Structure formats: C-alpha cells, structure tokens
Amino acid sequence: MIRRILAVAMIEATITRRNRWLLMATVIMVLFAVALTLAGSAPTGTLGVNMLTVSVASMTTLSVYLAPLLALMMAFDSIAGEAERGGLGLLLSYPVSRAEILLGKFVAHLSALAFAMIVGFGVAGGLAAVQGGVDAASLVALVRLILTSILLGAAFLALGYMLSALAGSATGAAGLSAGLWMVFVVLYDLGLLGAVVFDAGGWFTQTLFPWALAANPADAFRLWNVAASDGVAMATGLSGAASALPDWVAPTSLLLWPVLALLLARYFFERLEP
Amino acid sequence: MGEIVLNIENAGKSRAALQVLDGVSLNAATGQRIALLGHNGAGKSTLMKAVLGLTPLSAGRISVAGSAPGSAAARAATAYLPEAVAFHKSLTGREQLTLFARLADCPVAQVAGYLDRVGLSEAADRRIGTYSKGMRQRLGLAQVLLGRPKLALLDEPTSGLDPISRHELYAIIDEMAELGTAVLIASHTLTEVEARTDRIAILRAGRLVADDTLENLTLRAGLPTRLRIRANGDAAGRIVDATGGTRVNGMSVDLLCAPERKMTELRRLSAMGDVVADIEMHPPRLEDLYRHYSTGENH
Ligand SMILES: Nc1ncnc2c1ncn2[C@@H]1O[C@H](COP(=O)(O)OP(=O)(O)OP(=O)(O)O)[C@@H](O)[C@H]1O
Ligand SMILES: [Mg+2]
C-alpha cells in the first residue's frame, strides 16, 4: 500500500515540478511574505512589539487567503481533469485503490505547498532577523504560522479533491473551487459579522459566535495563531473571540478538517464513474 | 481450449431510459483473440469498462480469472488500452511507464524493453506532450504488455496508427495470445479483424447478436453472392427480364443469389449465349456479414 502511494506521489511530484507549479507557488509566497515584512517594519515602535511579530501578524492575514487559494488551484484538476482525459480509467485498471491514488496526490501536493510555505515565510523571517527585530517568542510564532499554514493548505487540498471528484468536469471543479474559496474565506466571516451586528451583543455573540468562527478552518487558523501569541493578537485585533474559547478548540478544528475533508473526498471519489 | 479467463453471464446495464447492455454472455479462454464489433454506441466500451469494474452492472455477473471485476486480483490479471488514451503531457514516456510498472508490481528494469518493443526507445525520455497520436497509442500498448496479463482489453487499438504500425500491433497481439493472454479487441477496422482474430462477437444496441468463428458466421448468415453480369450491346434489358436482377449502369446487371442457387444461375446465364459478355462473382465480405448481423437486415 505504502509502495503504491509513493509511486503515485512521485509521479505527481514530478508533474508539480514540471508544470512549474512548485516554482510559482514558492515565488508567490516569497514575494508576499517579503513585501509584508518590509511594509511592516515602519510602525514597529508604536505597538511595542518587534519586527518579526508584526510581520507574522500580517502574514497570518495573508495566509488565510493564499494557502486555501494555492491548495485549491493545485487540487481542482487532479481528479476531474484526469477523468476527462481518460487517464483515470486506465490508472484504475491497475491494482491501486482510489484511496491510495488520493493519498499519493495529497502527499505530493502537500509537500509542494509545504516547501513554498517554508521558503516564503522562512525568507521573511530571515529578513526580519537581519534587520534585528527578532526574539524567541516571535520565532515560535513564525514556526507556528508555517505549520498551521500547511495544515490549512492540507484542509483545502482535500476539499479541492472532493470538489474535483464530484464536479464531473475540470471546468466545473474550477468553478466550485472558486465558490468554496469565496464562502470559506470571505462570505462566512461576512455572514457571522452581520449576525453579530444584528444580534447586538446578545446570546449569539456571547456563546455561539466563537464556536461558529472556529468551525471554519480559515478562521480556526487565524484563531490558533492569535490565541497563542499575545503580540500577534494585539497586532490583528482578534483577541476577543480568541479568548472566549478554550485553548484546544481552534487547533482541534484545524487538525480535524484535513482528515474530514480527505474522508469526504474519498467518499465522492469512490462514487465517481470514470 | 484453454482455461476460461473471462466469463460474462447475462450482463445488463441500463443508463436512465437506455439499455446500454442487455443479456450479454461471452467467454474468453487463454490465448484466444476475440474481435468485438458493433456500431458506434453499441456498447463495446461499456462492456470493457464493466469487465474492469469501472462501471457497475445492473444485471448479470462477470468474473475475471475467477475474481470479481475491479477486485485487486482481477485488476492484476487484466490489462487495458482505453479508446482515447491521454497521458500526462509533462511526463516522459519512460516516467509514465515506470509508474504503471510500479503499480503492476512488475520490475522497473523491464520498462526499457517494453518501450523498445513498441518502437519508442528513442522518444522514451521526451515529454508525452510532444508525442504524435500514434506514439501515444504505442505507449498505451506498451503498458498493456506490462506484467504479462491473463486478459487484455483493447478498445480500438489501431486508431491513429499508420498501416505498418497496425501490422506491428497485430504482431504484438499475436505474441501476447501465444503466451496465453486472452485478448478482446473492440474495432471498426474489419479487414484486420478478419485476418487476425479467432472469433468475432458483434454487439447490436447492447445485445450480443453474434459470437463465433468467421466461417461459422458466414455459413449461418447464408448471405447471397452477387453476380455482376455485363451485357453485350443493349441486351441488358433482356437479362433483367430473364433473371429478375437489377440494372446498374447501362451495360450491367446485378443479381443476388443464395449460396446453393449460384451454380443454377450460372448455367442459366451461360445458356443465354452471347447476350452475356462477362460475369464477375462477388462472394459476401466481412463487411456484408457485419452489416447483416449488426443491423439485423436480412436482404
Ligand atoms: N457515462 C455515460 N453516461 C451516459 N451514457 C453513456 C455513458 N457512457 C456511454 N453511454 C451510452 O452508452 C451507449 C454505449 O456506449 P459505448 O461507449 O459503450 O459505445 P461503443 O460501442 O464503445 O461505441 P464507439 O464505437 O463509438 O466507441 C451509448 O448510447 C452511450 O451514449
Ligand atoms: Mg467505444
């Protein structure tokens, strides 16, 4: 089983390298991370936190958008596209299970995503260190940002596979992925915000809102990074919701999402007739 | 006859209101080459996908080397060439074949040999995106050879191949059959199938309407031989009157006659003297046979 997963993963890794996905994702991450670090170097003194902390805070905000986007762009074509080209039927004529194919792709894509995250955020961290604005706490925050970004990417990779398996065509999967991104990253927050405003500090805002926030992987990612670091919390202004929840909630949500989404992806993949 | 590798019993498949397969029963033994013929949409590809376990049946059962379609054992015993093979453009032929070898549990060292066998050794390290259609088809064939399957399902394997390559393809199929692989070939190229297969199965709108050797199918169809009679001068009209044939161009008459009536007609025509200038005989070809079985026409 491991052998077949690795065989698929190796091929997918080659494809990711060949079609310059890896390069593109890494360049995007580096550009954004460096730009945010440099831009964040100005107001450091006023907040009383060091340069890397500010940069991690703004990179957290960036990653909420970028990690799901990159993951979905990598994932959306991977099942529907292959089914359309006829390659999936051939692949499935070999003694390899759909779960193995899915895991093989996941391993390859997640490695590519992790590489881009580590390089991008790492370069930004190095830049901040060179400029002297680094301490132990901010380094921990940086490592946490990298790891949680990879987790967030994992969740959206798996969600992307799910959409790819149920869309029926690559273009359909692309449309669904764009919709999913809008919902999780933009509309969900807007909806909650609207509800909070309408509720005017009542039961919903007090009790349900933090949990609803944590149920969304993108917000769980934000909450985890914010709750774990006072500096980042100050810089993002999300500390209210973060402090209303027990510490374990956001990490659990972010850790469960990739698993849940992979199971869903597998369920729909099994039902697909190539 | 060898051991039965593929056993299809009463296979049925309905898609919405459409009965794509209906009571199809077919066996394939080791070393047999079977042609699967039928119009576009007759259900050939669907039958192959059902054998692979990619498409669930709505009735009947299939067993591949004693296992259920789609099970690990059945998949290990089966090779498949889809009708439109599209590999990943950015991989090289060697990389693609290496993946398949790993999945088939076949030594990766053999990959080069198979690429050579289908004439792709020079292009092996070029990206598949740069291959011609025929080269992709050859790569598809190379993966069929991996791991000596018990059953090979080839869906229109000659599409996109030049005449020489078609010849080579059938040579490879013969080789596989000699080594004991049962080969099922869906095809529209009747002339090749005629010479290169042991049995012919014909699907018509999801039903199996023929499954026999070419000789037996010919006998059973009892198709007429066509006599083309060229008349001397303007005697064509007289020949039509005498024989009941149909006039083709000003000079000639076509006459269809059943196999057992052929000699009688010839005697009658020669008795007509020099009205008849020439007679050409056209025995039924596979194309006529195919038309007979696949359309249900009975002349
Ligand atoms: N995925 C599908 N969904 C709905 N109908 C399908 C599907 N695949 C095949 N069909 C229908 O099943 C019937 C048989 O199709 P199939 O592809 O098996 O034909 P075929 O004999 O291989 O034809 P061809 O010679 O054109 O390849 C057709 O009517 C086709 O429209
Ligand atoms: Mg077909």
Side-chain angles (χ1 to χ4, degrees):
Chain A
M1 178 173 139
I2 298 290
R3 210 170 30 83
R4 289 187 294 267
I5 294 175
L6 285 182
V8 175
M10 274 171 62
I11 276 293
E12 290 292 336
T14 309
I15 293 171
T16 312
R17 245 183 308 118
R18 289 273 159 77
N19 61 19
R20 305 215 168 73
W21 244 116
L22 184 62
L23 182 69
M24 216 177 81
T26 310
V27 167
I28 289 176
M29 286 311 299
V30 169
L31 284 182
F32 273 104
V34 168
L36 286 179
T37 306
L38 293 181
S41 62
T44 305
T46 51
L47 278 168
V49 289
N50 66 36
M51 184 176 165
L52 184 58
T53 306
V54 177
S55 139
V56 165
S58 38
M59 286 192 295
T60 303
T61 313
L62 164 78
S63 200
V64 168
Y65 296 98
L66 215 47
L69 188 67
L70 289 176
L72 287 172
M73 286 176 80
M74 277 176 143
F76 84 89
D77 182 63
S78 58
I79 293 171
E82 236 174 285
E84 258 178 355
R85 286 188 295 269
L88 190 61
L90 179 56
L91 191 58
L92 286 171
S93 76
Y94 281 86
V96 56
S97 73
R98 295 182 192 219
E100 287 164 351
I101 294 175
L102 200 60
L103 283 176
K105 286 176 184 288
F106 184 68
V107 167
H109 291 158
L110 191 60
S111 307
L113 214 51
F115 178 83
M117 300 286 178
I118 291 169
V119 172
F121 293 142
V123 166
L127 202 63
V130 166
Q131 304 207 346
V134 174
D135 60 6
S138 62
L139 270 182
V140 171
L142 181 69
V143 170
R144 187 185 310 111
L145 170 67
I146 292 173
L147 292 179
T148 50
S149 293
I150 294 171
L151 275 177
L152 183 61
F156 278 86
L157 273 178
L159 286 170
Y161 299 142
M162 178 188 81
L163 296 181
S164 194
L166 63 80
S169 74
T171 39
L176 286 178
S177 298
L180 184 94
W181 185 84
M182 279 299 286
V183 168
F184 274 86
V185 175
V186 181
L187 297 179
Y188 191 87
D189 289 6
L190 282 181
L192 285 187
L193 197 64
V196 165
V197 168
F198 182 74
D199 184 54
W203 175 82
F204 174 81
T205 313
Q206 299 292 320
T207 331
L208 194 61
F209 169 69
W211 292 90
L213 207 55
N216 179 340
D219 289 317
F221 163 83
R222 236 191 303 236
L223 287 174
W224 188 351
N225 280 292
V226 164
S229 163
D230 291 337
V232 176
M234 276 174 63
T236 52
L238 241 180
S239 45
S243 59
L245 280 176
D247 281 349
W248 55 266
V249 177
T252 308
S253 168
L254 196 56
L255 284 167
L256 275 182
W257 264 102
V259 179
L260 184 75
L262 270 179
L263 288 174
L264 281 172
R266 184 186 166 189
Y267 172 76
F268 286 106
F269 191 18
E270 294 287 351
R271 287 165 31 129
L272 178 81
E273 202 181 290
Chain B
M1 200 199 275
E3 151 209 6
I4 299 286
V5 182
L6 170 65
N7 177 245
I8 305 175
E9 271 174 38
N10 265 317
K13 169 79 188 171
S14 43
R15 281 189 197 277
L18 193 69
Q19 192 73 21
V20 180
L21 292 176
D22 186 5
V24 174
S25 296
L26 185 72
N27 281 332
T30 50
Q32 273 185 342
R33 298 161 305 169
I34 303 171
L36 187 59
L37 308 180
H39 289 338
N40 293 133
K44 304 180 295 295
S45 300
T46 306
L47 186 63
M48 290 196 168
K49 286 185 178 170
V51 171
L52 289 162
L54 297 175
T55 297
L57 284 179
S58 32
R61 53 179 295 281
I62 293 178
S63 100
V64 181
S67 307
S71 65
R75 289 204 232 174
T78 315
Y80 174 46
L81 179 62
E83 66 185 326
V85 255
F87 302 103
H88 220 290
K89 281 201 203 79
S90 50
L91 296 173
T92 67
R94 191 189 306 281
E95 286 163 346
Q96 181 71 71
L97 204 57
T98 303
L99 168 70
F100 289 138
R102 289 216 171 95
L103 295 180
D105 220 349
C106 161
V108 171
Q110 292 180 7
V111 162
Y114 287 122
L115 284 167
D116 193 40
R117 181 71 192 84
V118 297
L120 276 183
S121 38
E122 256 168 50
D125 294 310
R126 287 192 352 227
R127 297 194 186 183
I128 297 172
T130 68
Y131 283 15
S132 70
K133 184 170 189 297
M135 288 163 82
R136 288 197 301 272
Q137 194 72 9
R138 284 154 179 266
L139 184 59
L141 189 65
Q143 61 86 29
V144 168
L145 299 172
L146 285 173
R148 270 220 208 148
K150 286 187 172 166
L151 172 68
L153 306 168
L154 313 180
D155 204 346
E156 302 185 25
T158 53
S159 75
L161 293 185
D162 62 58
I164 306 282
S165 309
R166 283 166 187 241
H167 197 80
E168 287 169 7
L169 171 97
Y170 276 97
I172 290 175
I173 291 177
D174 290 351
E175 219 172 275
M176 291 179 80
E178 258 160 50
L179 290 171
T181 304
V183 192
L184 189 62
I185 312 156
S187 179
H188 291 295
T189 353
L190 302 176
T191 41
E192 289 162 8
V193 157
E194 187 168 17
R196 298 296 207 142
T197 54
D198 305 308
R199 235 167 72 213
I200 293 176
I202 302 178
L203 276 174
R204 184 209 306 160
R207 301 188 130 272
L208 197 68
V209 290
D211 173 20
D212 213 331
T213 60
L214 185 59
E215 295 79 60
N216 288 344
L217 290 180
T218 313
L219 273 181
R220 193 145 52 81
L223 287 185
T225 296
R226 185 164 56 87
L227 303 178
R228 173 154 296 189
I229 307 146
R230 194 152 57 79
N232 258 330
D234 53 0
R238 275 176 57 199
I239 299 181
V240 169
D241 291 340
T243 60
T246 46
R247 197 156 169 162
V248 267
N249 45 45
M251 302 280 288
S252 300
V253 176
D254 262 3
L255 180 62
L256 295 173
C257 64
E260 66 278 6
R261 296 261 317 144
K262 195 165 62 188
M263 287 315 295
T264 322
E265 289 292 351
L266 283 177
R267 272 185 222 108
R268 189 153 63 122
L269 285 167
S270 56
M272 289 177 81
D274 52 358
V275 171
V276 176
D278 190 19
I279 299 176
E280 277 172 36
M281 264 204 290
H282 298 277
R285 294 161 304 159
L286 180 61
E287 213 176 303
D288 305 309
L289 211 58
Y290 171 73
R291 183 166 293 127
H292 170 83
Y293 284 106
S294 67
T295 60
E297 261 174 38
N298 286 307
H299 291 275

